[in-house]
């Protein structure tokens, strides 16, 4: 476990990630968009209540960071295979499985934490804006609503972190960055289709989200298990 944690730290240091800056930029963009469509004349009833508003936030945040995760997979895994720099890592006296596991743990944790914290932060700010704008959104923010949406934010983030690993399969097949990112976009379109006013959305069905998350986890597991026998070229 200590060796794995050390690998994660080395991976973060090597790639010089600035996670906080990236998340803040994405969150500001989502917040600005939500303010524009919820508190202006562009709101045609899609966000008339707090549950609708929070649901909209969750959809945009989840979609954004699933695609973000595919970019991270491309940088951490696909690019290294494509440029054959992974061969240098495999020369280290460290099991290949542990090297890949460290990379995928970074992707999983980044996706989970980014979605969970962004859901809470953006929803809280929008609630505050509504308070100072004479209650544009109908209803009140009760303790039950807060508890339910905190639970939903946590489960959404967990499912999304698993789903975000699915593009790894498409990227590894051809060692292709575009395939990795395009597959993430298609997955987002699949689970986020429909919006507001009771529209059906596949991502709201727990069994679909859970199934896709398990598929992502299975892909990660098989990738790690088979890496010892996988041709790098």
């Amino acid at each position: 476990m200590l060796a794995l944690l050390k690998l994660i730290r080395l991976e973060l240091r090597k790639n010089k990630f600035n996670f906080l800056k990236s998340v803040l930029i994405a969150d500001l963009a989502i917040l600005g968009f939500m303010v524009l469509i919820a508190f202006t004349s562009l709101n045609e009833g899609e966000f008339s209540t707090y549950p609708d508003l929070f649901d909209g936030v969750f959809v945009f945040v989840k979609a954004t960071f699933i695609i973000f995760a595919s970019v991270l997979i491309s940088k951490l895994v696909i690019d290294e295979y494509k440029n054959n720099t992974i061969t240098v890592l495999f020369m280290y006296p460290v099991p290949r499985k542990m090297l890949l596991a460290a990379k995928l743990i970074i992707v999983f944790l980044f996706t989970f934490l980014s979605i969970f914290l962004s859901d809470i932060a953006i929803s809280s700010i929008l609630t505050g804006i509504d308070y100072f704008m004479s209650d544009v959104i109908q209803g009140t923010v009760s303790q039950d609503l807060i508890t339910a949406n905190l639970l939903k934010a946590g489960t959404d983030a967990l499912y999304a972190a698993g789903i975000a690993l699915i593009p790894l399969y498409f990227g590894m097949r051809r060692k292709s960055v575009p395939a990795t990112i395009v597959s993430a976009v298609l997955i987002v379109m699949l689970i986020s289709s429909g919006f507001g006013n009771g529209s059906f959305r596949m991502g709201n069905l727990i069994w679909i989200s859970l199934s896709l998350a398990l598929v992502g986890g299975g892909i990660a597991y098989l990738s790690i298990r088979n890496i010892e026998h996988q041709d790098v070229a």
Side-chain angles (χ1 to χ4, degrees):
M1 180 61 71
L2 289 176
L4 185 59
L5 291 174
K6 186 178 292 186
L7 280 173
I8 291 173
R9 286 197 299 268
L10 288 173
E11 194 68 44
L12 293 172
R13 192 181 306 162
K14 181 184 74 172
N15 289 279
K16 298 179 180 178
F17 293 119
N18 193 335
F19 290 117
L20 182 58
K21 181 179 178 181
S22 301
V23 172
L24 284 176
I25 291 173
D27 284 354
L28 286 173
I30 296 170
L31 177 62
F33 183 72
M34 289 299 299
V35 168
L36 181 64
I37 62 176
F39 296 103
T40 69
S41 58
L42 294 177
N43 188 353
E44 297 180 352
E46 292 92 343
F47 304 108
S48 57
T49 65
Y50 280 109
D52 288 339
L53 182 69
F54 295 154
D55 191 42
V57 171
F58 292 173
V59 169
F60 283 122
V61 169
K62 181 163 58 177
T64 299
F65 287 106
I66 286 177
I67 295 173
F68 208 124
S70 72
V71 176
L72 201 54
I73 290 173
S74 298
K75 183 174 179 61
L76 288 174
V77 182
I78 309 303
D79 267 348
E80 295 214 358
Y81 272 94
K82 185 178 179 181
N83 300 327
N84 285 326
T85 54
I86 196 77
T87 56
V88 178
L89 292 177
F90 287 166
M91 292 172 65
Y92 295 164
V94 178
R96 291 185 178 189
K97 291 180 179 180
M98 192 174 292
L99 287 169
L100 184 57
K103 293 173 180 289
L104 296 183
I105 287 172
I106 290 173
V107 175
F108 183 90
L109 290 179
F110 167 80
T111 309
F112 174 78
L113 291 174
S114 296
I115 292 177
F116 182 64
L117 296 177
S118 296
D119 280 343
I120 294 173
I122 295 174
S123 297
S124 299
I125 293 172
L126 290 173
T127 302
I129 292 174
D130 182 61
Y131 176 80
F132 289 105
M133 293 187 68
S134 302
D135 298 325
V136 174
I137 308 300
Q138 298 173 14
T140 58
V141 181
S142 64
Q143 184 64 46
D144 288 342
L145 181 63
I146 292 173
T147 302
N149 279 278
L150 281 174
L151 180 61
K152 183 177 180 182
T155 54
D156 256 13
L158 186 61
Y159 295 150
I163 293 170
L165 297 173
I166 294 177
L168 175 68
Y169 170 78
F170 299 98
M172 288 292 285
R173 287 196 63 175
R174 294 183 176 275
K175 310 297 187 291
S176 169
V177 170
T180 308
I181 298 173
V182 169
S183 62
V185 173
L186 292 176
I187 291 168
V188 164
M189 291 173 62
L190 176 68
I191 64 177
S192 303
S193 57
F195 209 80
N197 288 334
S199 296
F200 171 76
R201 186 159 43 246
M202 292 185 67
N204 284 347
L205 299 177
I206 294 177
W207 67 272
I208 289 182
S209 294
L210 179 58
S211 298
L212 289 174
L214 291 175
V215 169
I219 288 170
Y221 170 75
L222 291 175
S223 298
I224 293 170
R225 192 189 70 175
N226 297 332
I227 195 172
E228 297 288 354
H229 312 290
Q230 194 173 51
D231 185 12
V232 175

